[in-house]
């Protein structure tokens, strides 16, 4: 019996901490959206001040997490009660987020980022020792999916696979 790991423990730790991964990718050919790390309300406000000048829309997410848990698109206006009553859970106002952060005792790293609009691609990859063997990108279009085997998202997946010596079957997402 053989256990196949996607990467070394150090790389797995890096991949798990999004802001550390983004820091590591700075200056590489892999595009990284503008972001700032924060924990406190003061740090959040400073990050908003910096990023609002460069990004039309902002979003927040925990630095460590999976499946989009905690991800929110921040909006400057709109009725928070209307969002709550409608079941909308992906958008929130900056003021509602600030209020929640102000009274929280959270002590984990969060990321404020430029929101990247567009079609999300989910790339399934088979790799061996940093060499991408095969990859397919699933693109959601309405109620169906289109499959791609080349293009920018596949190129980025290949760069990540090579850079971090990735192995096995894994998935990355891109916009």
């Amino acid at each position: 019996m053989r256990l196949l790991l996607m990467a070394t423990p150090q790389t797995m730790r890096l991949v798990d901490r999004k802001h550390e991964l983004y820091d590591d990718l700075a200056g590489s050919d892999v595009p990284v959206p503008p972001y700032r790390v924060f924990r406190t309300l003061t740090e959040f406000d400073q990050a908003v001040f910096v990023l609002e000048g460069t990004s039309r829309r902002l979003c927040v997410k925990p630095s460590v997490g999976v499946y989009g848990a905690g991800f929110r698109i921040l909006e400057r206006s709109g009725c928070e009660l209307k969002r709550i009553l409608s079941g909308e859970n992906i958008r929130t106002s900056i003021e509602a987020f600030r209020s929640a952060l102000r009274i929280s005792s959270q002590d984990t790293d969060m990321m404020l980022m430029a929101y990247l609009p567009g079609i999300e691609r989910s790339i399934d990859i088979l790799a061996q020792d940093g060499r991408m063997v095969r990859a397919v990108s699933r693109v959601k279009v309405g109620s169906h999916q289109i499959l791609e085997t080349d293009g920018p998202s596949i190129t980025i997946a290949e760069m990540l696979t090579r850079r971090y010596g990735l192995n096995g079957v894994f998935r990355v997402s891109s916009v």
Side-chain angles (χ1 to χ4, degrees):
M1 179 183 228
R2 188 174 153 202
L3 177 63
L4 180 65
L5 298 177
M6 182 182 96
T8 65
Q10 296 84 359
T11 300
M12 294 295 288
R13 182 184 187 284
L14 182 68
V15 169
D16 194 41
R17 291 165 173 78
K18 294 172 191 74
H19 72 281
E20 291 178 16
L21 177 65
Y22 284 13
D23 286 347
D24 190 65
L25 289 169
S28 75
D29 291 334
V30 177
V32 175
Y35 70 96
R36 293 290 186 271
V37 177
F38 69 92
R39 286 185 178 206
T40 68
L41 179 60
T42 301
E43 291 170 340
F44 173 75
D45 287 342
Q46 290 169 346
V48 168
F49 179 77
V50 170
L51 291 181
E52 270 192 324
T54 62
S55 302
R56 192 168 155 253
R57 294 179 78 188
L58 300 174
C59 61
V60 294
K61 64 181 171 183
S63 181
V64 176
V66 295
Y67 306 121
F71 173 82
R72 296 292 181 273
I73 298 169
L74 299 178
E75 297 185 338
R76 272 285 173 202
S77 61
C79 177
E80 197 63 28
L81 182 58
K82 186 175 180 179
R83 272 192 278 271
I84 291 168
L85 295 177
S86 73
E88 169 73 67
N89 64 356
I90 199 154
R91 298 176 196 281
T92 192
S93 69
I94 289 178
E95 280 309 310
F97 187 83
R98 288 184 81 255
S99 178
L101 186 59
R102 180 183 309 110
I103 62 173
S104 79
S105 59
Q106 76 91 19
D107 63 352
T108 58
D109 289 329
M110 299 281 295
M111 295 174 70
L112 180 72
M113 304 172 58
Y115 173 69
L116 304 176
I119 298 172
E120 183 175 346
R121 286 168 164 76
S122 184
I123 305 106
D124 295 312
I125 302 156
L126 170 63
Q128 182 177 11
D129 301 323
R131 183 179 65 82
M132 190 167 76
V133 177
R134 292 283 184 267
V136 63
S137 175
R138 292 178 288 116
V139 184
K140 296 175 188 166
V141 179
S143 61
H144 64 283
Q145 295 184 61
I146 296 173
L147 302 179
E148 300 173 335
T149 56
D150 62 1
S153 62
I154 301 291
T155 301
I156 291 170
E158 187 172 22
M159 288 188 290
L160 291 169
T161 300
R162 187 174 45 254
R163 181 179 180 101
Y164 296 110
L166 303 179
N167 261 309
V169 177
F170 55 92
R171 176 177 296 147
V172 297
S173 295
S174 73
V175 174

